[in-house]
Amino acid sequence: MKFVKRISYFFVVPVFFLGLGIYLGVWGIHFFYPGLWYDMNDTAKPPYVVDETVTDEEDNSPPASVAVASSGETLCADTEYVLEETDILRGTSVETSWKIPHKYIGMDRENFLETMDLYAEHPPLSEIERGFVGLEVLSFSRERVVVRMDYRYVQPSESYYLAVTDHEVVVYLEDRTTVYINTGIALEDLPETLQLQIMDMLFVPDEETLYDFLETYSS
């Protein structure tokens, strides 16, 4: 029996001291090196979380708002071109939607407005004949452009009169009060004899004679 007890003590005592040593070792690391202890127990945190944050901060791509603003300022082939034609005498309006004309593709707002201003200052003869008096750009974006064109539609008469307003030739209907066309022709650009006749209101017998005059002296 005494032999058995000696054998038990032989195994139990070393195991006890081994466990005590392991405990004291772990306690010492925790007490003297707390940072190392937290690092050993923090392995569950994904290491790429910090890397993702750095990647976002170092991303050199432009913000989304900048990209949207840039694309919205330039017309493209998909831009809708809405033309609103207004009869200022009757107060009526007709709206039509078209594909953007090729000559406007690539223009930003400033370029487009300058082009429209130039058109309003020097409209084609065909527009003058329709009674064109001006235009306004109502909205501008990459998706949709709206332009209002104002007309003073009048029924042509059998005869006309050429007169002067602000040093420019104006065509009146036979009532001598209704303006038919603002020609944009400067009086000083005409021959002197013709200037005198227009200053006295030159009678034009028919439409053909009127168009001959406009084609001859319009720039």
Side-chain angles (χ1 to χ4, degrees):
M1 181 65 67
K2 291 181 180 180
F3 179 74
V4 173
K5 289 182 179 179
R6 289 176 181 175
I7 293 177
S8 299
Y9 290 146
F10 178 79
F11 285 102
V12 171
V13 172
V15 170
F16 172 77
F17 282 104
L18 178 63
L20 180 62
I22 292 174
Y23 173 78
L24 292 175
V26 172
W27 179 85
I29 293 174
H30 178 71
F31 183 80
F32 293 104
Y33 306 101
L36 179 61
W37 173 262
Y38 290 127
D39 290 342
M40 293 172 61
N41 287 274
D42 200 28
T43 55
K45 181 180 179 179
Y48 53 80
V49 171
V50 176
D51 293 339
E52 285 184 344
T53 303
V54 173
T55 301
D56 292 340
E57 293 177 352
E58 295 178 352
D59 186 5
N60 294 323
S61 60
S65 59
V66 174
V68 170
S70 176
S71 62
E73 292 177 354
T74 305
L75 301 179
C76 65
D78 296 329
T79 303
E80 181 185 10
Y81 182 72
V82 179
L83 183 61
E84 184 180 311
E85 296 177 292
T86 302
D87 184 344
I88 62 176
L89 294 180
R90 298 174 178 83
T92 58
S93 180
V94 176
E95 184 177 292
T96 53
S97 179
W98 311 80
K99 290 184 177 180
I100 191 76
H102 292 290
K103 60 183 177 181
Y104 300 144
I105 295 177
M107 288 187 178
D108 58 14
R109 181 183 180 86
E110 183 178 357
N111 294 145
F112 185 75
L113 292 178
E114 289 178 355
T115 301
M116 291 296 101
D117 288 341
L118 185 62
Y119 184 95
E121 292 175 2
H122 305 283
L125 180 59
S126 59
E127 286 292 272
I128 295 175
E129 294 172 352
R130 293 183 62 198
F132 175 82
V133 294
L135 63 79
E136 181 181 356
V137 178
L138 301 181
S139 67
F140 179 97
S141 69
R142 183 181 179 87
E143 292 76 23
R144 192 170 187 259
V145 171
V146 180
V147 178
R148 190 190 73 220
M149 303 188 73
D150 297 328
Y151 296 87
R152 184 183 287 109
Y153 297 116
V154 293
Q155 295 297 323
S157 57
E158 295 182 357
S159 60
Y160 309 88
Y161 286 88
L162 299 181
V164 180
T165 300
D166 295 331
H167 305 286
E168 291 188 354
V169 178
V170 177
V171 180
Y172 285 92
L173 296 181
E174 57 188 352
D175 61 7
R176 300 191 183 192
T177 58
T178 304
V179 176
Y180 178 50
I181 297 176
N182 290 298
T183 66
I185 301 173
L187 182 67
E188 60 184 16
D189 293 338
L190 301 176
E192 185 175 352
T193 303
L194 187 56
Q195 291 184 33
L196 296 174
Q197 292 175 338
I198 293 176
M199 290 173 65
D200 289 334
M201 260 194 155
L202 177 62
F203 175 75
V204 180
D206 52 41
E207 191 174 47
E208 183 178 355
T209 304
L210 174 62
Y211 287 166
D212 288 342
F213 169 81
L214 295 176
E215 291 177 358
T216 301
Y217 296 104
S218 296
S219 57

